[in-house]
Amino acid sequence: QVQLVESGGGLVQAGGSLRLSCAANGVMFRFNSMGWYRQAPGKQRELVASITSGGSTNYADSVKGRFILSGDNAKNTVYLQMNALKPEDTAVYYCAVPRTTPNYWGQGTQVTVSS
């Protein structure tokens, strides 16, 4: 059984930083691609960052230069470092496997950025 568990969300002022974590059971990140998605109220879920099984990362234009995806294979955990946060980054953030047309989703973690 695959389980993805996000953590690290919270309330932060604009310009601040947060680091999200996604810990996996039942699937190995080192052998799979994964993605970080977010969904703001009234908007569609969007892919903001992803990594291939080969380690190549991609970012949405809206977060490029501010968000950094990394991983720890020993912990089977992927991180999303979010810097220079903006109010428009407010959303529920989900990790998912694989990075496109995911089969598995975490429960989500709320990120709220105040102006």
Side-chain angles (χ1 to χ4, degrees):
Q1 184 177 357
V2 175
Q3 186 178 27
L4 303 174
V5 180
E6 302 100 335
S7 61
L11 173 64
V12 64
Q13 289 188 331
S17 298
L18 285 173
R19 189 178 79 156
L20 306 184
S21 300
C22 175
N25 287 305
V27 64
M28 300 294 290
F29 282 132
R30 74 180 71 184
F31 300 129
N32 292 274
S33 67
M34 69 82 58
W36 280 101
Y37 288 75
R38 69 184 181 188
Q39 187 166 22
K43 295 188 176 181
Q44 288 190 331
R45 193 171 295 190
E46 63 172 341
L47 178 64
V48 295
S50 65
I51 186 167
T52 68
S53 56
S56 297
T57 54
N58 289 278
Y59 300 93
D61 288 343
S62 58
V63 307
K64 200 171 293 183
R66 300 188 297 121
F67 289 12
I68 302 170
L69 192 158
S70 63
D72 185 334
N73 286 335
K75 296 182 178 180
N76 203 26
T77 299
V78 175
Y79 305 98
L80 186 66
Q81 178 66 43
M82 305 187 297
N83 301 318
L85 283 162
K86 305 175 181 180
E88 52 263 43
D89 294 319
T90 295
V92 178
Y93 285 72
Y94 302 88
C95 60
V97 173
R99 65 188 182 105
T100 56
T101 57
N103 296 317
Y104 306 106
W105 295 88
Q107 82 287 354
T109 186
Q110 176 71 47
V111 171
T112 303
V113 184
S114 63
S115 56

